[in-house]
Amino acid sequence: IKLSRSLSLGLLSACVHGGDFPVRHPYFFRSKCVSCTFTALFIPFPSAPVSTVKFESCLHNREVVFVSSDPAFSVRSDGSVYVEQEVANLSKPVQFMVTARGLRDTRIWETTVKLAVAGHAPSIPLTQVAQLSAEHCCMRFPRGSSSSNSLRRQKRDWVIPPINVPENSRGPFPQMLVRIRSDQDVTVGIRYSITGAGADQPPSDIYSIDPVNGKMFVTKPLDREERASYHLRAHAVDMNGNQVENPIDLYIYVIDMNDNRPEFQNQVYNGSVDEGSKPGSSVMQVTAGDADDFTTANGMVRYRILSQTPHNPIPNMFTINSETGDIITVAAGLDREKVSQYTIIVQATDMEGNLNYGLSNTATALISITDINDNPPELTDKTFSGEVPENKVNVVVTNLTVVDRDQPHSVNWNAVYRIASGDPSGHFTVRTNPVTNEGMLTVVKPVDFEMNRAFMLMVVVSNQAHLASGIQSSLSSTAGVTISVQDVNEPPVFPVNPKLIRFEEGVPAGTTLTVFSAQDPDHFIHQTVRYSKLSDPANWLRINRTNGQISTMALLDRESMYVKNNVYEATFLAFDNGAPQASGTGTLQIYLIDVNDNAPVLMPREGQVCERARPASRVNITASDADGDPNVGPFVFELPSFPASVRRNWTVSRLNGDYAQLRLKIPYLESGFYDIPVFVSDSGNPPLSNRSVIRIKVCPCDDNGDCSATGAVAAAGLGTGAIIAILICIIILLTMVLIFVMWMKRREKERQAKPLLIDPEDDVRDNILKYDEEGGGEEDQDYDLSQLQQPESLDHIINKPAGVRRVDERPVIAESQYPVRPSLPHPGDIGDFIIDGLRAADNDPTAPPYDSLLVFDYEGSGSTAGSVSSLNSSSSGDQDYDYLNDWGPRFKKLADLYGGGEEN
């Protein structure tokens, strides 16, 4: 027998009608080989029929015996379930197992029955009770066809139906889900096991199976939000571990429970809508999610508005789409100037919005009313007035105040002012104060009291943004402005400024050039104008204080450094006698016409040519003239006729109007310096000439046409005698250097021949260098300076006791014997010879430096400097200096002084 699927019989409800207990079956399914779990509502009275269990075998065997696992309930042969005794605990649904056995078949089938007390069921909808049911069918391993020589039709394996387990079950645990059995468990000992995620794989230990009877259990409450399904495999092996049946797949689905509230994505939502919007205008959308199964009512969320604050103009200005969460307007009358923001409390409920069974959550929606330009700006007064002094600019005449009820500092509030009439010349403008939105009437072009004493302006105000549709401009958006012009003392004005006049240069002093007069613009006031000079760089001009007549004080020179582009500028001041005094300036420009008053000059003034005439040996000269056209080039270049040697030896030729070449006319000219006069004349009328002297150096040249060194010397004026004298001086200098070197070598030899280590003349350690005496101090006259001089002989050294010697005195003892090197040493003996010599030197106390005690002579008594005998050694503790004995004879004295032990 094979199981096709586990079917729920649906929700069975029992009702009480008088004294009997009829049972209604709204759903009833019949299928082959079915044993199923069902749930019913029952009334716990003994011998009361609750429901009916129907069973049909694959062999159409209707003779079935039902056995209940709970003695409180019994199942009759027709499948009716009866309450046999009173049930003590009715707080939870009652669950028991029903076993079906055939009279002529040893096989069994099992199912689980859940019963709930009618009228005392938990406070959950009936559909929830149905979802609490689970199938506990007895599953058998599918059998394949037996191996036989005869041909038999092989039946197709049945698909094992999935097992549904509700989440958040309260137990008790472990809770049985299904029983797995093999047909061979009668003859062979079978052991059952399950594998897969939830059994032996993470998350492990959720499902278990009794290895003997094959009952599969769930060990803990499940959470569909963590894992919605499990795929396990059931195995059957014998006692030796051999596979008895092919593994079967078990699919376990976690049935969703409504255990999660809807959660909004945000606790506060912000939206906006224009004021004056029509009903049905979209405002915003709120969204809530539910972790439960969205395909069931547990995860189906519905929205509604709980409250609106404020209630103006009506309490229900908005509505929400229950499924999408879109908030829209339902009424007209949104006005930002009255209510700028609404606060909406939105509730999201699952179970398709069922408030009795669903879970809810809330969020806040803040709806800002967006401003539109529905209020035109209005001027506070119909007329404004102000005063302005003449000739002043950037002066605020008056402030125009305006009122606008739209949102401040927005394009709907910002005012724009325009002068509609009364100012054709554009003397005024109205600028907007960005803070106060006032209009500042400002002068941008000077006004003249003598021309306009007053202005009447018409000003119109509007917003940066256009008015909303259907909104008309206000009559208060226009106002008149009266402006009075104040008269002030204006400075005199030069009618032509700057004034240009033309004169030839060289005009003598005292010449009248022009009259540079100014006019007083104050026609209604009679005032006197006076003049003075403000700027005259060359101090060439003077002005008459009364009438402004300009005359010269010096000669006008076009070539002056103060003249730029032939124009000389001077500035004059005109002032009146008003109170306060006002003054104006005027510029006089004098264009100086050039005259031929400057002779040309030549450049350069020096040059160099070869003593023998060559094509490339020439001097290029250039003529320049400070005058302008036509008093400049082309120039004429000429050589003077006196002295005659100039024209005999030299020639000049013009290259173009400004350039000429000077070169030798004869084949050879002795080296030296020559002064060549050249006359140059300009093209003026009459022309001016100038005599320029060019100093030419003539020298011998090499193949490249450059002066050689010998030639350069000769050209400098040195004769043969001077050159010989220079050579003799060089020889004498070299001789002196050679003599000095020889003398130094001789001194070195003499120093090496002396017996002492240091030359007495160079020894500064034991000698006193006497400087000029500047007076005694601290009884220094008692010093016996002879004691500090270098001795002339060694007799006194011999008489000194042993161990007291100068540091540079050679001890008077027998000298050590050093090994004598043979005349023809063998190469192998060189190393031995060096070692023997080194050993003899280390043991020779007479070898320098001499290890002796330095004794200083007595230098007087009674010094006021005090004694240094109180200075003690800073060393503390005893130190062993015996190691000095191992350092050789040179450290013998130190070893005797410090290494002698306590007795020393």
Side-chain angles (χ1 to χ4, degrees), residues 162-411:
I163 303 171
N164 297 323
V165 181
E167 67 172 336
N168 302 325
S169 175
R170 297 183 179 179
F173 294 102
Q175 181 179 1
M176 180 179 174
L177 299 179
V178 71
R179 182 178 182 183
I180 301 172
R181 298 189 64 183
S182 173
D183 293 342
Q184 302 183 31
D185 60 352
V186 177
T187 60
V188 180
I190 303 298
R191 291 295 180 264
Y192 303 96
S193 64
I194 56 175
T195 60
D200 61 342
Q201 299 177 14
S204 58
D205 300 331
I206 296 179
Y207 300 98
S208 63
I209 189 170
D210 191 324
V212 177
N213 56 28
K215 292 183 179 181
M216 181 177 169
F217 301 91
V218 59
T219 61
K220 62 179 69 174
L222 302 181
D223 189 354
R224 191 201 66 86
E225 287 70 42
E226 293 183 1
R227 191 181 182 104
S229 64
Y230 297 87
H231 178 201
L232 304 177
R233 302 199 75 186
H235 305 271
V237 296
D238 58 15
M239 301 303 292
N240 295 325
N242 299 320
Q243 179 175 315
V244 177
E245 304 282 357
N246 292 328
I248 61 173
D249 292 320
L250 301 178
Y251 294 93
I252 303 174
Y253 294 110
V254 182
I255 301 175
D256 183 46
M257 301 287 290
N258 189 20
D259 57 345
N260 290 279
R261 294 180 180 272
E263 295 292 340
F264 284 94
Q265 294 181 358
N266 302 301
Q267 282 301 313
V268 178
Y269 289 84
N270 292 284
S272 62
V273 63
D274 291 339
E275 61 176 330
S277 296
K278 297 179 180 180
S281 300
S282 176
V283 179
M284 61 190 303
Q285 183 185 30
V286 297
T287 304
D290 197 312
D292 292 325
D293 189 0
F294 66 92
T295 62
T296 65
N298 298 335
M300 295 181 181
V301 181
R302 297 296 182 263
Y303 305 92
R304 72 189 188 102
I305 295 177
L306 295 181
S307 64
Q308 167 194 311
T309 305
H311 293 172
N312 295 335
I314 60 175
N316 299 319
M317 292 293 295
F318 305 94
T319 186
I320 187 170
N321 188 309
S322 61
E323 295 184 0
T324 63
D326 292 324
I327 298 177
I328 59 176
T329 59
V330 294
L334 293 175
D335 191 351
R336 190 205 65 85
E337 286 73 36
K338 294 180 180 179
V339 178
S340 61
Q341 188 180 71
Y342 289 90
T343 301
I344 305 296
I345 305 300
V346 180
Q347 183 185 57
T349 306
D350 56 15
M351 297 301 295
E352 298 182 288
N354 191 323
L355 299 179
N356 294 326
Y357 308 116
L359 303 177
S360 302
N361 210 339
T362 59
T364 302
L366 301 179
I367 302 176
S368 300
I369 307 303
T370 306
D371 181 47
I372 64 173
N373 194 10
D374 57 345
N375 294 282
E378 298 179 354
L379 292 166
T380 57
D381 294 321
K382 285 294 183 180
T383 58
F384 296 87
S385 61
E387 294 182 349
V388 58
E390 63 175 337
N391 301 324
K392 296 290 185 180
V393 294
N394 295 325
V395 176
V396 178
V397 180
T398 185
N399 290 326
L400 310 179
T401 55
V402 68
V403 176
D404 196 321
R405 292 179 296 171
D406 289 323
Q407 185 174 356
H409 305 290
S410 66
V411 293

Side-chain angles (χ1 to χ4, degrees), residues 504-791:
E504 286 188 352
E505 64 173 329
V507 174
T511 303
T512 300
L513 301 181
T514 185
V515 175
F516 196 29
S517 60
Q519 299 177 357
D520 192 347
D522 295 320
H523 302 304
F524 301 99
I525 304 176
H526 181 68
Q527 298 180 133
T528 303
V529 179
R530 294 291 182 263
Y531 304 92
S532 64
K533 186 169 61 174
L534 185 62
S535 173
D536 184 10
N539 199 24
W540 287 345
L541 307 176
R542 67 162 59 95
I543 186 171
N544 189 295
R545 286 182 52 85
T546 305
N547 55 17
Q549 179 176 301
I550 306 295
S551 58
T552 60
M553 297 172 52
L555 192 69
L556 304 183
D557 186 7
R558 191 194 69 88
E559 290 73 34
S560 172
M561 59 180 295
Y562 302 107
V563 179
K564 307 297 181 184
N565 297 325
N566 300 333
V567 176
Y568 178 76
E569 286 190 358
T571 306
F572 298 93
L573 185 68
F575 53 91
D576 57 21
N577 59 348
Q581 189 181 66
S583 61
T585 59
T587 301
L588 178 64
Q589 296 179 341
I590 305 174
Y591 185 87
L592 297 178
I593 302 172
D594 183 43
V595 296
N596 194 14
D597 58 347
N598 292 278
V601 294
L602 293 178
M603 294 295 292
R605 294 301 182 94
E606 295 180 352
Q608 175 179 296
V609 298
C610 297
E611 60 183 3
R612 297 188 182 274
R614 294 187 180 187
S617 181
R618 62 194 65 187
V619 177
N620 294 325
I621 56 178
T622 304
S624 62
D625 196 324
D627 294 324
D629 289 334
N631 299 317
V632 289
F635 297 97
V636 178
F637 302 90
E638 293 179 333
L639 295 177
S641 56
F642 182 83
S645 60
V646 174
R647 290 194 174 186
R648 182 176 65 249
N649 298 333
W650 304 89
T651 181
V652 62
S653 58
R654 189 175 71 178
L655 299 178
N656 54 31
D658 298 335
Y659 301 96
Q661 283 186 349
L662 181 64
R663 63 179 184 274
L664 282 176
K665 188 176 181 181
I666 58 177
Y668 173 79
L669 183 64
E670 184 179 359
S671 299
F673 285 90
Y674 297 87
D675 293 333
I676 309 302
V678 178
F679 286 96
V680 57
S681 303
D682 58 21
S683 299
N685 187 17
L688 292 180
S689 299
N690 185 25
R691 179 178 182 274
S692 299
V693 178
I694 302 176
R695 188 175 181 84
I696 303 297
K697 180 175 70 174
V698 180
C699 60
C701 297
D702 53 17
D703 295 338
N704 296 327
D706 299 328
C707 284
S708 59
T710 305
V713 174
L718 296 179
T720 304
I723 296 175
I724 294 174
I726 293 175
L727 294 177
I728 293 174
C729 292
I730 294 175
I731 294 173
I732 294 174
L733 182 60
L734 293 176
T735 303
M736 294 177 62
V737 172
L738 181 61
I739 293 173
F740 178 76
V741 172
M742 294 175 63
W743 178 76
M744 290 295 294
K745 290 184 177 180
R746 182 179 178 184
R747 286 195 59 191
E748 185 67 21
K749 292 181 180 180
E750 293 177 353
R751 184 182 299 109
Q752 295 177 358
K754 291 186 177 181
L756 294 179
L757 293 177
I758 303 176
D759 192 351
E761 297 180 3
D762 299 331
D763 186 12
V764 297
R765 294 173 298 169
D766 297 325
N767 292 282
I768 295 180
L769 301 179
K770 184 177 180 181
Y771 297 93
D772 291 340
E773 209 169 272
E774 296 182 358
E778 299 187 6
E779 301 183 4
D780 56 358
Q781 302 300 325
D782 295 338
Y783 292 133
D784 185 6
L785 299 181
S786 63
Q787 300 294 329
L788 301 178
Q789 299 295 330
Q790 180 70 26

Side-chain angles (χ1 to χ4, degrees), residues 6-13 23-30 36-41 51-52 112-115 126-135:
S6 297
L7 297 176
S8 173
L9 295 179
L11 175 65
L12 305 180
S13 60
V23 178
R24 291 187 293 112
H25 299 270
Y27 303 100
F28 186 79
F29 299 91
R30 309 188 71 177
C36 303
T37 299
F38 62 90
T39 303
L41 300 179
S51 182
T52 302
T112 300
V113 178
K114 277 188 178 181
L115 302 176
L126 296 180
T127 55
Q128 292 278 34
V129 179
Q131 290 179 0
L132 291 174
S133 65
E135 296 81 358

